[in-house]
Amino acid sequence: MSTPTPTPTFILDPSVNDPHAELWFAEPGGFVPLPLDALLPEPGSPAAERLRRAAAPFLDAAPDEAARQQFIAQFASGQRMLSALREVGTVHCSIGLHRDDVGEPRDAGRNRPLLSLFTLSWRDAAVAPRGVTAARAVTGAEGHTHVEYRELPCGPATFSETVRTPAPAGGLPPLPLLQVHARLPHPDCRRLAVLTLSTTAVARRAEYRAVLLRIAETASFENPGVDPPGTEASQDPRPPASPPAPPSPS
């Protein structure tokens, strides 16, 4: 006798009702969004003061000045990374923390924590049918493997993978970095959304590819019909929305 599949439960992000949102999707459990606007405020702005107040308890809890300076340096390094992501069109990122439960209970490394970074970015594209844009996105892409074309509920998409080791000058650990990409052309045929899942757990590439596919399958370029919180219809479990995308240059 088969066991019925439970109905998924969605937690709505406030951005689900953002009038400027252009892509909606659902993230699986274990992902925590990073508030880019709050972490990258304009100097001297009210947001910068709020960030300073939020960081103050961590600085006050530092056991000595050396630990305090180390925290400041690491925080600044994280801000530089997020700023670099934003400069290339990233509008959303989340940190993933999961337990490695693959293999037998006695296997070495089982139950270890696995970290990942999920990002959503926008890329301009030459005007063309969406299927053509999806194919062009991976044609001739250097170092990409496991290239695959799929028809998703939101339209055509291409998937691919890369494994690269960061350059020593980049300040990142010299560990192989797996990146799984999904490219979803926008209905306006002028740009595409790029979903990327990055992790140093290269051995779990099949599992992370499945995670990204699961996210991409929930993506929608149309508002899924979520009503504002507090209304009767808002009690329905429907997919949440992503943060808004930047406007496409004319």
Side-chain angles (χ1 to χ4, degrees):
M1 182 176 178
S2 61
T3 302
T5 302
T7 302
T9 299
F10 296 97
I11 299 176
L12 302 183
D13 186 88
S15 63
V16 71
N17 294 305
D18 191 314
H20 302 293
E22 297 187 82
L23 179 67
W24 290 259
F25 63 90
E27 291 179 332
F31 284 93
V32 178
L34 295 176
L36 291 178
D37 290 339
L39 292 172
L40 299 172
E42 290 292 331
S45 66
E49 176 60 22
R50 288 193 294 269
L51 179 60
R52 187 196 66 77
R53 291 199 302 267
F58 296 96
L59 294 174
D60 294 341
D64 51 42
E65 184 60 23
R68 178 186 175 92
Q69 292 303 318
Q70 183 181 27
F71 174 85
I72 293 174
Q74 291 178 339
F75 190 84
S77 177
Q79 284 184 308
R80 287 193 296 271
M81 183 192 74
L82 294 177
S83 179
L85 288 173
R86 175 177 275 182
E87 287 178 1
V88 295
T90 299
V91 296
H92 174 85
C93 62
S94 297
I95 291 180
L97 176 60
H98 300 87
R99 188 184 73 237
D100 189 350
D101 58 0
V102 177
E104 299 297 325
R106 296 182 180 180
D107 289 350
R110 183 178 167 85
N111 292 324
R112 61 174 177 161
L114 299 178
L115 287 171
S116 61
L117 179 69
F118 170 70
T119 61
L120 164 63
S121 307
W122 290 94
R123 300 284 188 273
D124 292 329
V127 178
R130 297 171 69 191
V132 174
T133 299
R136 283 177 177 172
V138 293
T139 301
E142 183 180 355
H144 286 250
T145 61
H146 297 80
V147 176
E148 181 183 12
Y149 178 93
R150 282 179 175 263
E151 286 288 344
L152 301 180
C154 67
T158 48
F159 292 78
S160 66
E161 301 174 13
T162 60
V163 177
R164 296 189 174 98
T165 300
L172 296 175
L175 299 173
L177 180 69
L178 168 69
Q179 290 190 300
V180 187
H181 308 275
R183 298 168 181 83
L184 287 56
H186 191 276
D188 66 9
C189 299
R190 295 177 179 272
R191 55 199 163 134
L192 65 161
V194 181
L195 282 58
T196 302
L197 190 55
S198 306
T199 180
T200 56
V202 179
R204 297 293 175 255
R205 64 194 315 153
E207 288 75 21
Y208 277 107
R209 188 182 182 96
V211 170
L212 187 65
L213 174 60
R214 180 180 175 186
I215 296 174
E217 287 178 333
T218 69
S220 173
F221 291 107
E222 297 180 357
N223 190 316
V226 179
D227 296 288
T231 64
E232 182 178 351
S234 68
Q235 307 306 313
D236 296 337
R238 302 176 186 177
S242 75
S248 178
S250 58

